[in-house]
Amino acid sequence: MSEATTPPQDIEAERSILGAMMLSRDAVQDVTEIINGPDFYRPAHETIFRTIVAMLGRGEPVDVVTVSDALTREGEVTKVGGYAYLHELAGNVPTAANAGYYAEIVAKQAIRRRLATAGQQIASMAHQPGDESELVELARKAVDSTSTATTSTVQHFGETIDAMLGQLDEKPNYAPTPWSALNDIIGGLRPGGLYVVGARPSVGKSVIALQLAKALTAKGSVAFSSLEMSESDVQMRAVSADLRIDLRRLIERDLTPGDWEKIRTRRAAWQNVPLFVDDNSGVSITDIKRFARSVNRRQPLAGLVVDYLQLMSQPAGDKRPRHEFVADMSRQLKILAMDMEIPVVALSQLNRGSTQRDDQMPKISDLRESGAVEQDADVVILLHREIMGEKRGDLAMLVAKNRNGSTNVAQLDFLGHYSMALDKGTPPTPRTAA
């Protein structure tokens, strides 16, 4: 095989890693922080690596003899070259202290192999039918995936249970919402989760979406796909909520000297807020994926907000019924949440079913155009606001579905003039200078 067609590899570095791991526990720590099994070019080397890591996970001693015994019990020892090959690995390693350096060499070669594979996939895509924008997005995803292994080691329940049990000492990796009443029900926004917020028009779902987006910026950058409002509209609502300035004064350009003083005092604090707004109307799921990945390349992504689901554009030539299209969009948003390990918040319109009921309270069956949205979502929150009467200004968040917990209702105060909602009884105190 010519050098041009030989996959990138460094067998000596792989051998040195395995030898070092059988000589030093510190070497195992150094190596496993950098690479995993699929980064090895030789399958036999991956098998030895996997066996060593599993042994240490069980608290067993690791050396040539014990590794050989473990491989024998697994029926793998002859496949990897036998005891003689293991002894050779341990005997020929230059120094176990350099295990991390050897691992970096192997990691780089693995990335090059995955780049070669991605290149072949991209070349094949160029000859496939389909939307060009979607093909470009798939190509970008293929390249993005080269920094991590594209295959996973097959492990049974018992081999992975300890990793889960070890996480029980840690607090859940939730991003809290701005409302303690809601956090008490759902815990917060979980990476990989799809959160659907449904409401009838003018109830306040865009206000809720913006507050959730701002809360997520505490964890990293946030991609806000605003299909209904311009970036300027989003910013005015953010300023109104942040400084407690009446939104109407911002819209009508009727600011008081006190308002301008608040803005001047607060301006520097907004400079580095990692909220990225895409206000292009009629975007497709491909555009939203591209936007999210672009933000992630700029700064690690903590969440995506889509306002709102039914406004997503159906590509020309797509003849599917609208409900099937929306079902596919919700499914792709769930997949995106899991792939990027971020919470995705998707707003959804409700149909008129709630207006025909005496109490006018929404139900999960009111989600417009697709019952599949309910299936894909980890959490479904339905908003109901009292527009008239003595309860005017009350906003109910009905947690109609909670995959990992119970359902309940969070009661909030809705302050539309400040473009925000607060926990019941919380005073809308103006922000001070940062």
Side-chain angles (χ1 to χ4, degrees), residues 119-233:
Q120 294 170 357
Q121 293 173 347
I122 292 170
S124 176
M125 289 177 196
H127 301 284
Q128 296 175 2
D131 179 72
E132 287 75 14
S133 296
E134 179 66 20
L135 292 175
V136 170
E137 176 59 24
L138 290 173
R140 284 176 174 157
K141 183 177 179 180
V143 173
D144 287 344
S145 68
T146 60
S147 61
T148 57
T150 55
T151 58
S152 59
T153 301
V154 177
Q155 295 178 295
H156 62 68
F157 184 88
E159 293 174 308
T160 59
I161 186 64
D162 286 341
M164 185 281 291
L165 294 176
Q167 297 172 3
L168 297 181
D169 289 332
E170 305 171 2
K171 291 184 178 180
N173 187 25
Y174 288 160
T177 76
W179 312 284
S180 59
L182 182 61
N183 293 332
D184 289 343
I185 303 171
I186 67 172
L189 304 179
R190 179 177 56 83
L194 175 61
Y195 297 80
V196 173
V197 179
R200 294 282 299 142
S202 301
V203 169
K205 58 183 180 294
S206 293
V207 169
I208 296 302
L210 182 55
Q211 282 191 259
L212 289 172
K214 289 168 64 182
L216 283 167
T217 59
K219 294 281 189 177
S221 65
V222 176
F224 191 106
S225 183
S226 178
L227 286 70
E228 189 174 35
M229 297 186 296
S230 69
E231 182 175 13
S232 177
D233 289 337

Side-chain angles (χ1 to χ4, degrees), residues 319-370:
K319 303 300 184 182
R320 289 175 296 175
R322 185 66 184 177
H323 71 276
E324 290 184 10
F325 169 75
V326 173
D328 186 37
M329 297 305 97
S330 69
R331 182 58 185 160
Q332 293 203 46
L333 287 175
K334 173 59 180 176
I335 293 172
L336 181 64
M338 296 179 67
D339 284 348
M340 299 191 74
E341 297 183 347
I342 59 170
V344 172
V345 177
L347 306 193
S348 176
Q349 284 278 24
L350 299 183
N351 59 38
R352 297 183 181 275
S354 62
T355 63
Q356 299 169 2
R357 292 188 285 271
D358 291 340
D359 61 4
Q360 296 195 348
M361 296 295 285
K363 295 182 178 180
I364 200 167
S365 57
D366 295 334
L367 287 172
R368 185 177 171 187
E369 291 183 323
S370 178

Side-chain angles (χ1 to χ4, degrees), residues 289-433:
K289 289 179 181 178
R290 183 187 302 119
F291 175 52
R293 296 187 189 281
S294 296
V295 172
N296 188 54
R297 283 190 285 268
R298 170 97 178 253
Q299 187 175 342
L301 194 63
L304 166 67
V305 178
V306 179
D307 180 11
Y308 57 90
L309 193 59
Q310 283 78 14
L311 287 180
M312 293 172 64
S313 177
Q314 194 160 350
D318 188 338
K319 303 300 184 182
R320 289 175 296 175
R322 185 66 184 177
H323 71 276
E324 290 184 10
F325 169 75
V326 173
D328 186 37
M329 297 305 97
S330 69
R331 182 58 185 160
Q332 293 203 46
L333 287 175
K334 173 59 180 176
I335 293 172
L336 181 64
M338 296 179 67
D339 284 348
M340 299 191 74
E341 297 183 347
I342 59 170
V344 172
V345 177
L347 306 193
S348 176
Q349 284 278 24
L350 299 183
N351 59 38
R352 297 183 181 275
S354 62
T355 63
Q356 299 169 2
R357 292 188 285 271
D358 291 340
D359 61 4
Q360 296 195 348
M361 296 295 285
K363 295 182 178 180
I364 200 167
S365 57
D366 295 334
L367 287 172
R368 185 177 171 187
E369 291 183 323
S370 178
V373 176
E374 173 188 350
Q375 297 175 18
D376 296 328
D378 294 275
V379 174
V380 176
I381 299 171
L382 306 177
L383 306 181
H384 175 70
R385 183 157 63 93
E386 297 291 344
I387 307 296
M388 304 294 291
E390 61 181 24
K391 293 185 177 181
R392 180 179 179 182
D394 285 1
L395 175 67
M397 281 186 164
L398 291 78
V399 180
K401 177 186 178 182
N402 185 6
R403 195 186 302 276
N404 297 313
S406 61
T407 58
N408 211 326
V409 181
Q411 297 288 351
L412 307 179
D413 287 326
F414 187 79
L415 291 82
H417 58 296
Y418 288 155
S419 194
M420 67 187 308
L422 296 173
D423 280 308
K424 274 286 184 184
T426 304
T429 308
R431 291 272 189 172
T432 57

Side-chain angles (χ1 to χ4, degrees), residues 14-312:
E14 293 186 10
R15 288 164 52 92
S16 296
I17 286 172
L18 299 174
M21 292 176 74
M22 287 187 285
L23 295 175
S24 167
R25 280 182 171 269
D26 290 340
V28 176
Q29 179 68 31
D30 293 342
V31 169
T32 54
E33 288 180 353
I34 299 171
I35 61 173
N36 55 33
D39 290 326
F40 288 89
Y41 176 68
R42 285 190 176 176
H45 290 169
E46 179 181 351
T47 299
I48 298 170
F49 174 86
R50 172 178 52 79
T51 299
I52 293 173
V53 172
M55 290 174 65
L56 287 173
R58 297 191 297 266
E60 299 174 3
V62 172
D63 57 33
V64 173
V65 175
T66 58
V67 172
S68 176
D69 178 66
L71 287 166
T72 299
R73 285 186 275 111
E74 295 171 4
E76 300 281 357
V77 69
T78 57
K79 298 177 184 178
V80 303
Y83 176 82
Y85 186 64
L86 296 175
H87 190 272
E88 181 182 335
L89 292 176
N92 292 339
V93 58
T95 172
N98 288 341
Y101 177 74
Y102 307 144
E104 290 177 357
I105 295 174
V106 170
K108 291 176 182 178
Q109 295 300 316
I111 289 174
R112 289 180 177 273
R113 287 198 302 277
R114 290 193 287 271
L115 277 172
T117 301
Q120 294 170 357
Q121 293 173 347
I122 292 170
S124 176
M125 289 177 196
H127 301 284
Q128 296 175 2
D131 179 72
E132 287 75 14
S133 296
E134 179 66 20
L135 292 175
V136 170
E137 176 59 24
L138 290 173
R140 284 176 174 157
K141 183 177 179 180
V143 173
D144 287 344
S145 68
T146 60
S147 61
T148 57
T150 55
T151 58
S152 59
T153 301
V154 177
Q155 295 178 295
H156 62 68
F157 184 88
E159 293 174 308
T160 59
I161 186 64
D162 286 341
M164 185 281 291
L165 294 176
Q167 297 172 3
L168 297 181
D169 289 332
E170 305 171 2
K171 291 184 178 180
N173 187 25
Y174 288 160
T177 76
W179 312 284
S180 59
L182 182 61
N183 293 332
D184 289 343
I185 303 171
I186 67 172
L189 304 179
R190 179 177 56 83
L194 175 61
Y195 297 80
V196 173
V197 179
R200 294 282 299 142
S202 301
V203 169
K205 58 183 180 294
S206 293
V207 169
I208 296 302
L210 182 55
Q211 282 191 259
L212 289 172
K214 289 168 64 182
L216 283 167
T217 59
K219 294 281 189 177
S221 65
V222 176
F224 191 106
S225 183
S226 178
L227 286 70
E228 189 174 35
M229 297 186 296
S230 69
E231 182 175 13
S232 177
D233 289 337
V234 172
Q235 290 173 333
M236 278 193 285
R237 282 159 175 75
V239 169
S240 174
D242 200 20
L243 298 181
R244 313 305 192 252
I245 295 176
D246 194 304
L247 179 61
R248 184 177 297 277
R249 295 208 302 270
L250 287 163
I251 293 174
E252 296 180 356
R253 312 299 194 265
D254 188 25
L255 297 175
T256 68
D259 294 336
W260 280 114
E261 180 59 27
K262 288 182 181 180
I263 291 172
R264 282 191 292 268
T265 302
R266 191 69 176 162
R267 174 65 183 85
W270 293 327
Q271 188 65 44
N272 297 313
V273 173
L275 178 61
F276 298 81
V277 179
D278 179 13
D279 61 1
N280 290 313
S281 60
V283 299
S284 65
I285 185 65
T286 301
D287 297 321
I288 290 174
K289 289 179 181 178
R290 183 187 302 119
F291 175 52
R293 296 187 189 281
S294 296
V295 172
N296 188 54
R297 283 190 285 268
R298 170 97 178 253
Q299 187 175 342
L301 194 63
L304 166 67
V305 178
V306 179
D307 180 11
Y308 57 90
L309 193 59
Q310 283 78 14
L311 287 180
M312 293 172 64

